[in-house]
Amino acid sequence: MKKQFDRGMGEVLGKYQDKSRENLIPILQDVQERFGYVPKDAITRIGEFLGLPSSKIYGVATFYNQFKFSPPGRYHIMVCRGTACHVKGSALILDALLRELRIGAGQTTRDGLFSIEVVACIGACGLAPVISVNGEFHAKLSAKDIPGIIESYREKARIEGGSK
Amino acid sequence: MFDINANGRTIEAREGDTILQSLERAGIKVPTLCHMNGLAPSGACRICVVEVEGARGLIPSCSYPATKGMNIKTNSKRVIDARKTIIGLLLANHPDDCLYCVRNGNCELQKLAEEYGVRERRYPVKNSSVGLDITSPSIVRDPAKCILCGKCVRVCEEIQKVSAIDFVRRGSKMEVCTAFEQSLNVSSCINCGQCVTVCPTGALREKSYLQEVHDALHNPDLVVVAQHAPAVSVSVAEEFGFKSGADVNGVFTTALREIGFKHVFETSFSADLTIMEEASELVERIKNGGTLPMMTSCSPGWIKYMEQFYPEFLGNISSCKSPQQMLGALIKSYFAKQTDTAPEKIFSVSIMPCTAKKFEAARSEMTGKKGLPDIDAVLTTREIARLFKLCGVNMNALKPSEADTPFGRRSSSGKLFGASGGVMEAAIRTANFMLTGKDLTHPRIEFARGMDGIKEGKIKIGDLGLGFAIVNGIGNAPKILDQIKNGRKDIHFIEVMTCPGGCIAGGGQPLNNDQGRIKARMASLYSIDNNEQLRFSHRNPEILEIYEKFLGKPLGEKSHELLHTHYSKRNVLR
């Protein structure tokens, strides 16, 4: 794991000759693309590279919604909170998901199976309210559909076994 | 120079002034919660808004340049209403527990709300759920009381250059946090407490040990002793309305006795002792090719800073414990033996201008043989003032008295420890004696004095040409350290004090530190030195006596056991 991380960070930082702080956000984006999230160790590593304190980098990274600090779950759920979905009750859908999985938006369940991300609009307004799980759309939902959907992915994980 | 008009009056403005600067110079008061002298304006709090003729909206005076002929109103209805709204909004998510708050009576937000006649809640309460961080032995963070003025973040980042805290998230979810929102005790915080001294509210405060001390004072089984640091006697009086820099050493000693301390000692005595050990160490390092430049070890914020950021220099740090810890160790050994008191019955309190001293006292290295801590509790200058008020002490009505033996006599060198350059000055005086056998005819070391962040000087002692550097405000330390890393060899001894100006401006000192007050405290220490007969640590009769009766010689076996220590690399999130 450590080796993989070191190699990944080496590749990301290797792209940047210029150690100026203007590169902070591009580096954070590259790190997230590489690992699916911004690991804590990556922040300290970026700090050493750019000569910036971790508190500053963490401050910048939390300023933007795009950065995540926990690894995405095996099933990454995107909840659309765009206008159409909102009108059709997406707040209740999100609520049901948070209750079912007992995590907050932006977090990952302890077993690593699920993570929730709130997005502004996934461009499927005709299907409102909609969520997408690893790119699979679930359309015209109501809150009571949620437990069944979650259970179907749990079942899927049991059948497929193994880790991500 | 040009004229501007404020409230119908013509005032002078200087090139490059902000509106606020011109107004302040003319004696026109404009409230502000986020402005910091000497730093670029941040415009965070908006309380300083004024009306500028021709401008569309209200203008934050702290960040807007004054221009020729501009017409300003600082007290129009529009301005006052806006300020009231801002205060009301700040109070909307501020807890209503002023009566129970440590800053009750000297809170800037409370004062503003009072001055602007905010008498009722205009916006519904929206209390944040964020909790208290009490993990640090020095500083308590109460984010619920934070108004996001950003002064703590700026002092930590721009002045001390530690950057332990920063803003996290944005908008209504913004908070001041450490990296990854961890607790302060595992962060890179060096406990200097400069954030506490700039915080306008009770969001940052020292970890208080008043209850423990008060309990101990009333416990008949304990012998409670006090030591007080050189910078305390020239600053504590400010808490009682005396003018800045007033030295109340004798009265302070009397007051401590009056509230129940059985013995009162002076940390300035052990500062003399530190000089004996530290000057000997310097002389030995110079003579025997030891690691140079040697660096002072009195300032606990600096020590933690080095453990975290420059562990490669830990060998340069003097092995001497700080004066607080030296005296702590002696109280529970020499003093205990002399007075036939069991060390575990002694409750040793130190009164310090410093929050980091609380951390230092709790370090595992600072524990005696039986696992007893050398120091049991550290109170800041602010806390001892609170204890005096609690006990009804009237400083005006007390007669000065002398500190107790055997640790009550000090040279003025020991007293100089309270200001930046003081350790250096004292050490040069004694090192000169150790190397040449003679006392300096002019003990005053000019380059060591004053408020400059970095002071350097060269002195010839005997046939040795030695270089010295003094740093105050730890943000200045990397400049010198990086020079040494890059091969600079002409410095032999470096004094570092974590706080800008030294202990007189420490994180435990009376709040609302401005440069004038700090300079007055510094001047007071210098005048004590000027008027003193006993100006050399090595001439202090009590120091000579303790070496004769107990310690043997500087750097001897007993000294090593009680007065010296070493530090190691510390892994924190940097």
Side-chain angles (χ1 to χ4, degrees):
Chain A
M1 273 303 266
K2 171 107 183 12
K3 260 194 184 148
Q4 245 182 351
F5 172 77
D6 285 344
R7 206 180 55 230
M9 283 309 292
E11 280 173 29
V12 169
L13 296 178
K15 287 189 358 199
Y16 295 88
Q17 255 88 59
D18 180 16
K19 294 185 177 184
S20 75
R21 59 193 290 169
E22 284 91 81
N23 282 329
L24 175 56
I25 291 169
I27 292 175
L28 283 167
Q29 285 168 326
D30 284 358
V31 165
Q32 174 143 309
E33 193 161 6
R34 174 92 200 195
F35 300 104
Y37 71 112
V38 181
K40 215 187 215 181
D41 288 345
I43 289 192
T44 45
R45 198 72 64 85
I46 297 168
E48 285 159 22
F49 181 75
L50 294 177
L52 287 174
S54 335
S55 61
K56 176 109 300 191
I57 300 176
Y58 185 71
V60 169
T62 53
F63 185 89
Y64 299 100
N65 283 330
Q66 75 178 112
F67 297 114
K68 288 181 254 315
F69 303 95
S70 49
R74 181 164 173 176
Y75 302 106
H76 184 60
I77 305 169
M78 291 204 276
V79 185
C80 180
R81 289 286 285 125
T83 314
C85 286
H86 176 72
V87 171
K88 291 279 199 175
S90 64
L92 299 172
I93 305 292
L94 176 61
D95 214 42
L97 274 168
L98 299 182
R99 252 183 295 129
E100 182 67 25
L101 296 174
R102 291 195 203 137
I103 53 172
Q107 293 179 335
T108 304
T109 53
R110 279 202 173 185
D111 58 10
L113 271 187
F114 297 98
S115 52
I116 301 177
E117 182 186 359
V118 174
V119 295
C121 179
I122 40 183
C125 303
L127 306 176
V130 62
I131 67 172
S132 122
V133 183
N134 287 3
E136 257 173 40
F137 284 72
H138 297 265
K140 299 190 175 173
L141 293 174
S142 76
K144 65 179 195 311
D145 300 329
I146 296 300
I149 294 173
I150 295 297
E151 189 44 43
S152 73
Y153 285 100
R154 287 209 172 104
E155 185 59 30
K156 200 172 164 192
R158 272 194 290 275
I159 294 163
E160 289 170 2
S163 66
K164 200 166 75 147
Chain B
M1 293 272 218
F2 52 88
D3 286 347
I4 60 177
N5 191 293
N7 302 338
R9 165 148 76 98
T10 303
I11 64 170
E12 226 166 46
R14 290 183 194 162
E15 221 60 59
D17 262 4
T18 60
I19 297 177
L20 181 68
Q21 283 169 325
S22 304
L23 293 174
E24 276 186 344
R25 208 176 300 112
I28 298 171
K29 193 180 148 199
V30 177
T32 162
L33 288 168
C34 70
H35 181 68
M36 298 178 86
N37 275 332
L39 296 185
S42 66
C45 76
R46 319 309 280 186
I47 283 283
C48 69
V49 285
V50 294
E51 211 173 324
V52 175
E53 198 180 83
R56 202 157 50 98
L58 294 173
I59 299 290
S61 61
C62 70
S63 52
Y64 200 87
T67 49
K68 195 174 171 184
M70 75 186 340
N71 251 320
I72 301 161
K73 282 199 189 108
T74 70
N75 53 11
S76 65
K77 183 165 185 323
R78 192 169 161 223
V79 167
I80 303 288
D81 284 350
R83 289 186 189 153
K84 275 190 180 183
T85 304
I86 293 165
I87 296 167
L89 286 166
L90 284 173
L91 291 174
N93 62 355
H94 194 87
D96 270 343
D97 64 350
C98 296
L99 279 176
Y100 306 101
C101 180
V102 68
R103 292 292 295 272
N104 185 19
N106 66 354
C107 166
E108 291 173 42
L109 181 62
Q110 187 188 44
K111 192 165 151 247
L112 268 184
E114 206 284 316
E115 284 175 0
Y116 280 78
V118 179
R119 292 277 173 266
E120 59 187 28
R121 231 178 219 295
R122 280 174 67 187
Y123 307 96
V125 194
K126 187 184 148 277
N127 277 339
S128 60
S129 57
V130 282
L132 211 59
D133 182 353
I134 55 166
T135 57
S136 158
S138 297
I139 295 165
V140 174
R141 285 186 62 233
D142 188 353
K145 290 183 178 163
C146 178
I147 58 166
L148 299 171
C149 71
K151 281 163 115 175
C152 53
V153 172
R154 302 193 70 197
V155 86
C156 195
E157 180 182 342
E158 294 175 46
I159 297 188
Q160 299 297 66
K161 305 212 165 92
V162 171
S163 290
I165 46 173
D166 205 336
F167 289 110
V168 166
R169 291 181 287 276
R170 70 176 147 163
S172 62
K173 291 188 176 133
M174 189 190 267
E175 268 179 63
V176 173
C177 284
T178 60
F180 311 112
E181 294 158 71
Q182 295 196 326
S183 346
L184 213 50
N185 62 335
V186 292
S187 76
S188 59
C189 170
I190 58 167
N191 307 303
C192 71
Q194 286 299 308
C195 55
V196 177
T197 66
V198 296
C199 182
T201 70
L204 285 161
R205 50 194 191 248
E206 72 272 295
K207 168 81 81 61
S208 180
Y209 295 85
L210 266 186
Q211 193 59 51
E212 285 84 340
V213 173
H214 200 226
D215 289 349
L217 285 170
H218 293 277
N219 182 342
D221 295 333
L222 293 175
V223 177
V224 188
V225 304
Q227 58 166 304
H228 58 92
V232 174
S233 79
V234 296
S235 48
V236 67
E238 289 171 32
E239 296 278 45
F240 296 88
F242 290 68
K243 73 175 196 329
S244 308
D247 178 30
V248 291
N249 203 58
V251 171
F252 186 58
T253 302
T254 311
L256 289 172
R257 287 208 183 94
E258 193 153 290
I259 62 172
F261 286 98
K262 294 279 181 318
H263 302 268
V264 179
F265 301 126
E266 291 208 18
T267 314
S268 307
F269 160 84
S270 51
D272 278 339
L273 189 62
T274 303
I275 286 301
M276 294 300 285
E277 296 289 329
E278 201 159 347
S280 307
E281 190 184 351
L282 178 64
V283 168
E284 193 183 276
R285 285 191 193 210
I286 291 171
K287 281 188 173 162
N288 302 332
T291 311
L292 289 172
M294 190 171 93
M295 301 171 184
T296 56
S297 56
C298 307
S299 185
W302 154 247
I303 297 293
K304 185 165 185 271
Y305 181 88
M306 292 302 271
E307 292 173 322
Q308 294 168 182
F309 298 115
Y310 289 91
E312 66 272 27
F313 279 121
L314 285 173
N316 295 65
I317 303 246
S318 159
S319 65
C320 291
K321 288 184 185 174
S322 71
Q324 162 180 286
Q325 296 304 140
M326 283 199 181
L327 192 47
L330 286 179
I331 286 169
K332 292 202 179 172
S333 56
Y334 180 63
F335 170 77
K337 217 163 118 194
Q338 272 215 328
T339 53
D340 207 15
T341 317
E344 51 273 21
K345 296 246 167 185
I346 297 176
F347 191 87
S348 184
V349 179
S350 75
I351 298 150
M352 295 284 142
C354 183
T355 44
K357 286 283 170 193
K358 292 171 187 272
F359 168 82
E360 183 185 43
R363 292 182 71 112
S364 57
E365 296 93 340
M366 303 303 164
T367 306
K369 260 193 206 149
K370 292 179 188 161
L372 287 175
D374 290 341
I375 297 288
D376 293 287
V378 179
L379 299 182
T380 59
T381 312
R382 295 189 293 270
E383 285 173 280
I384 198 68
R386 250 174 258 147
L387 189 57
F388 282 176
K389 285 172 187 166
L390 177 74
C391 298
V393 170
N394 177 358
M395 294 261 246
N396 280 312
L398 296 177
K399 287 209 171 68
S401 61
E402 298 275 314
D404 287 296
T405 49
F407 316 125
R409 198 77 205 276
R410 52 135 189 92
S411 78
S412 62
S413 279
K415 198 71 185 167
L416 284 178
F417 265 58
S420 163
V423 179
M424 175 65 69
E425 197 161 342
I428 290 177
R429 291 175 187 180
T430 292
N432 180 78
F433 173 75
M434 287 175 172
L435 284 163
T436 66
K438 281 187 223 131
D439 281 343
L440 290 167
T441 37
H442 300 288
R444 181 185 163 123
I445 311 288
E446 205 53 52
F447 78 84
R449 301 204 163 184
M451 295 283 294
D452 289 346
I454 297 179
K455 296 174 273 190
E456 288 189 35
K458 293 203 186 319
I459 288 187
K460 208 157 159 83
I461 300 181
D463 43 9
L464 286 168
L466 299 177
F468 302 96
I470 298 156
V471 175
N472 70 87
I474 202 143
N476 293 312
K479 289 177 205 156
I480 290 275
L481 292 172
D482 291 341
Q483 285 172 6
I484 290 162
K485 244 189 199 169
N486 295 330
R488 187 169 174 191
K489 293 248 184 311
D490 62 336
I491 305 178
H492 298 86
F493 186 38
I494 302 178
E495 176 209 288
V496 182
M497 294 195 189
T498 306
C499 295
C503 312
I504 42 171
Q509 291 284 56
L511 297 166
N512 311 319
N513 268 335
D514 60 40
Q515 285 292 307
R517 293 171 80 171
I518 293 164
K519 280 182 183 153
R521 295 172 198 159
M522 187 177 249
S524 180
L525 289 177
Y526 292 156
S527 90
I528 291 170
D529 181 51
N530 263 345
N531 302 327
E532 175 69 54
Q533 294 300 313
L534 180 58
R535 295 179 80 178
F536 298 96
S537 302
H538 55 272
R539 299 278 175 216
N540 181 343
E542 280 189 359
I543 290 287
L544 299 174
E545 187 184 320
I546 200 171
Y547 276 111
E548 193 188 305
K549 282 197 180 155
F550 183 63
L551 290 170
K553 60 178 197 323
L555 307 183
E557 198 184 318
K558 257 265 122 33
S559 291
H560 268 289
E561 182 196 326
L562 291 169
L563 310 181
H564 290 259
T565 186
H566 69 276
Y567 302 104
S568 43
K569 186 176 174 191
R570 183 183 292 265
N571 282 318
V572 294
L573 277 171
R574 305 205 298 187

